[in-house]
Amino acid sequence: MEILDCERIAKAKRAFTTRRIPTERMRMLLSPPAEPKAGDLVLARIETLGHHKSVELPSGRKAALAATDEVVLAYGNHYAPDQFEAIVPADLGPCHMVAAGGVASRAMTWHDKTMSPTAIVPLGLVTNSCGRVLNVADFAVAPQPARLTPPTIVVFGTSMNSGKTTTAASLVRGLARAGFAVGAAK
């Protein structure tokens, strides 16, 4: 276990996936051997730039990446047929940044028109001052009870380019033409 210097964490480029976790909670670094889980925060070094040459920050702005930059990402599985299919690795060995929003994972396959993934070297899992690994699930927004629940239609699919957005847009247009007040979110 290594104490995580405040300056070091402030200089690291924090990804959008980590936005709900205050930097003051990021206190220590659990070095290998450790087994990451989906949602665990990891401090990693950019090894080689690939498909993702920038990372989305908690503010939503993009920051350019360079080899040797340190980034704070969240581990996660990723399935995007137009980009990468990736899984959370079983260890803190070298892996990849598979989404601009800040997902660390081991890319198994990628689309033939997509560049190789950006290679990262995990330096350790980020923990609180008690040594507990920080996980995005522990900082989820608590659901607020709705006073009036409007009817909800959900459109979902298993991958990119399966027609979800087209279907949702058609539903919105049809319901609006029928006189309903429609709100949509993606």
Side-chain angles (χ1 to χ4, degrees):
M1 195 75 76
E2 171 189 342
I3 293 176
L4 197 50
D5 184 300
C6 293
E7 281 185 42
R8 184 178 185 187
I9 203 71
K11 284 182 8 183
K13 294 176 179 173
R14 284 185 50 221
F16 189 77
T17 53
T18 71
R19 70 193 176 280
R20 301 222 19 99
I21 303 173
T23 52
E24 56 270 11
R25 300 287 288 273
M26 301 176 192
R27 306 296 285 193
M28 297 168 64
L29 204 55
L30 177 62
S31 302
E35 185 179 331
K37 295 181 206 61
D40 285 352
L41 262 58
V42 61
L43 178 67
R45 184 182 69 244
I46 300 295
E47 186 72 14
T48 309
L49 290 178
H51 182 74
H52 294 101
K53 293 173 180 41
S54 63
V55 64
E56 286 181 37
L57 303 174
S59 65
R61 296 185 70 164
K62 290 188 178 190
L65 294 172
T68 74
D69 279 353
E70 289 189 352
V71 291
V72 181
L73 310 171
Y75 276 104
N77 296 311
H78 189 69
Y79 181 69
D82 283 356
Q83 289 184 8
F84 305 104
E85 179 181 3
I87 59 169
V88 175
D91 58 32
L92 291 181
C95 59
H96 308 100
M97 186 177 99
V98 295
V103 177
S105 199
R106 185 160 293 137
M108 308 303 285
T109 60
W110 50 90
H111 192 277
D112 60 355
K113 291 190 168 88
T114 300
M115 290 178 62
S116 298
T118 293
I120 62 172
V121 175
L123 304 173
L125 296 176
V126 180
T127 75
N128 63 16
S129 57
C130 299
R132 184 167 184 263
V133 176
L134 297 174
N135 189 291
V136 296
D138 298 330
F139 295 86
V141 176
Q144 297 294 317
R147 287 189 277 173
L148 175 64
T149 306
T152 303
I153 298 172
V154 178
V155 177
F156 65 94
T158 58
S159 67
M160 297 171 69
N161 298 328
S162 62
K164 300 179 298 289
T165 302
T166 303
T167 300
S170 295
L171 283 168
V172 168
R173 273 193 304 278
L175 290 167
R177 284 184 187 152
F180 290 95
V182 180
K186 181 176 178 180

